[in-house]
Amino acid sequence: MNWLLREFQESDYQDFHKLYETCHPEKPRSLKDFRFWDAKFELKRFLLLADGSLLGAYSYHKDDNSKDWAFVIQLSADASRQLEILYQDLTDKLSILKAVWVNVTVREDQQLYMDFYQAKGFYEYERRWESYLDLETFKPEDFQHFEEKAKGYGVSFKTLADLEDKLENKRMLYDTVVTWIKDVPFAEELNIWPFGVWLERFWQNPSRHPESYFLAFLDGKLIGQSELRKSNQTNTLATGLTAVSREHRRKGIAQALKYQAAHYAKTQGFKHIHTQNHANNRAMLSINEAMGFQKEPAWLWLRKDLLL
């Protein structure tokens, strides 16, 4: 068999997408999604072919959430031999770039990838639970009292679609989200995107869905949100950030926002809501469990120090 590794070209998207769907059915992505994020992260991708057939691919991009010279990688193949060829070529290229770390995300039930990365010396540094809410069995009336309770405090609710599409509103949302996201229990400190980068990566994101992005206000100030995004999974919306300002927590406001989001999704005919939560975020896990979210296999963030 004649192996060929070459750089990805624009004309390869269709074939690559078919390969990705075969190798990663646990995380569907659209072609539009690939094109958007490939451009935003200046991603490099290489393809493995044998006798003209596409058998594997790998990608890498600079991890802008890391202060070290780290790269995010992904390997796509359905056999360990192909993974070995891809990994060797990838590490050769990263060595030239003087990479210090490589990070990869794998679902814990993807045994081929788990075995491969563990054999290469990767270790887990973060775990997030994936959960789904079955909207056909979800009963909104059981949670409506959280909305009524929040309104009793003087809280009012809007969606992102209700806000005028002007710079000052975008700045308000950005500044508040930056405050909230610092309380999310990531395994390591994040490098927050500058406002201009956030406008490109969030505001232009094809998954953004203003009608299902719920906001809570008190005395004209934004104090909470729960975001649902478009999903690549059929009849499903995906959860973004749910957060409430510190001084207004433990009043049921987050639960009220989650109720509004789920009620919207159900009335619009969606069948499921998908979310991921950090394994140590007990507060949000409790809210989701109370609503009926059911855990799926966890996603693991794996890392390898290339200098060892």
Side-chain angles (χ1 to χ4, degrees):
M1 186 175 291
N2 298 314
W3 301 97
L4 170 66
L5 265 165
R6 66 166 174 80
E7 192 165 2
F8 180 86
Q9 301 169 3
E10 176 70 23
S11 59
D12 291 322
Y13 267 111
Q14 290 284 353
D15 289 340
F16 166 72
H17 189 242
K18 291 178 182 177
L19 172 75
Y20 176 87
E21 288 182 321
T22 299
C23 297
H24 303 285
E26 74 285 357
K27 192 176 183 180
R29 294 182 64 186
S30 67
L31 268 174
K32 188 175 183 180
D33 192 43
F34 271 114
R35 291 178 185 275
F36 178 82
W37 288 110
D38 284 2
K40 298 305 179 188
F41 282 107
E42 300 180 357
L43 180 142
K44 296 292 185 182
R45 181 177 290 118
F46 290 81
L47 305 182
L48 175 65
L49 300 100
D51 300 327
S53 297
L54 179 58
L55 296 183
Y58 73 79
S59 67
Y60 64 89
H61 66 82
K62 182 72 170 61
D63 186 355
D64 59 4
N65 277 332
S66 174
K67 295 177 181 178
D68 296 311
W69 198 240
F71 286 80
V72 177
I73 67 170
Q74 182 179 63
L75 304 184
S76 300
D78 60 5
S80 56
R81 186 182 180 194
Q82 284 92 299
L83 290 175
E84 188 66 50
I85 295 170
L86 293 166
Y87 184 76
Q88 184 60 57
D89 195 70
L90 167 64
T91 52
D92 288 347
K93 287 186 172 59
L94 292 182
S95 177
I96 295 170
L97 295 172
K98 302 187 184 304
V100 176
W101 303 96
V102 284
N103 302 326
V104 68
T105 309
V106 184
R107 204 170 74 172
E108 63 180 346
D109 61 343
Q110 298 301 302
Q111 205 60 50
L112 172 68
Y113 293 99
M114 288 295 298
D115 290 345
F116 181 83
Y117 289 122
Q118 288 173 350
K120 294 299 181 184
F122 283 74
Y123 62 90
E124 176 185 336
Y125 72 95
E126 186 167 322
R127 176 180 293 252
R128 300 181 196 176
W129 286 111
E130 186 168 42
S131 303
Y132 284 85
L133 177 64
D134 183 348
L135 291 170
E136 294 187 314
T137 59
F138 175 69
K139 297 179 180 179
E141 60 272 16
D142 292 345
F143 299 90
Q144 188 173 2
H145 64 280
F146 286 105
E147 180 185 71
E148 296 167 355
K149 181 180 179 182
K151 289 180 176 178
Y153 291 127
V155 176
S156 60
F157 297 96
K158 295 180 180 180
T159 68
L160 191 60
D162 295 327
L163 301 184
E164 289 187 65
D165 187 6
K166 55 184 182 181
L167 190 62
E168 63 187 81
N169 284 335
K170 296 174 184 177
R171 186 82 216 193
M172 171 196 68
L173 182 62
Y174 171 81
D175 289 343
T176 311
V177 167
V178 165
T179 300
W180 290 332
I181 207 164
K182 291 177 181 178
D183 288 338
V184 177
F186 291 99
E188 55 191 5
E189 183 181 355
L190 294 182
N191 287 335
I192 303 297
W193 294 340
F195 180 58
V197 174
W198 177 83
L199 285 176
E200 291 182 357
R201 295 184 181 176
F202 170 77
W203 211 264
Q204 297 176 22
N205 194 323
S207 69
R208 189 171 67 89
H209 194 237
E211 293 78 11
S212 60
Y213 195 130
F214 291 86
L215 305 169
F217 292 84
L218 183 63
D219 298 326
K221 182 180 179 181
L222 178 60
I223 64 163
Q225 74 161 45
S226 187
E227 178 194 6
L228 291 180
R229 303 170 179 167
K230 298 174 185 175
S231 170
N232 292 313
Q233 299 180 33
T234 305
N235 295 322
T236 300
L237 288 174
T239 305
L241 177 67
T242 297
V244 173
S245 299
R246 289 184 183 182
E247 63 272 26
H248 300 294
R249 291 173 188 168
R250 301 188 183 279
K251 297 179 180 178
I253 297 171
Q255 190 81 72
L257 287 160
K258 294 282 287 188
Y259 151 74
Q260 289 190 329
H263 187 220
Y264 168 87
K266 185 179 179 75
T267 58
Q268 294 299 307
F270 290 94
K271 303 301 182 185
H272 298 94
I273 293 175
H274 160 255
T275 190
Q276 275 192 20
N277 299 106
H278 295 79
N280 59 344
N281 192 350
R282 191 60 245 168
M284 190 53 63
L285 285 167
S286 296
I287 289 175
N288 288 336
E289 289 163 2
M291 292 183 71
F293 279 84
Q294 298 295 314
K295 286 191 179 75
E296 298 282 326
W299 282 89
L300 309 183
W301 271 245
L302 306 179
R303 170 173 291 168
K304 182 177 180 179
D305 183 348
L306 295 180
L307 300 184
L308 294 179

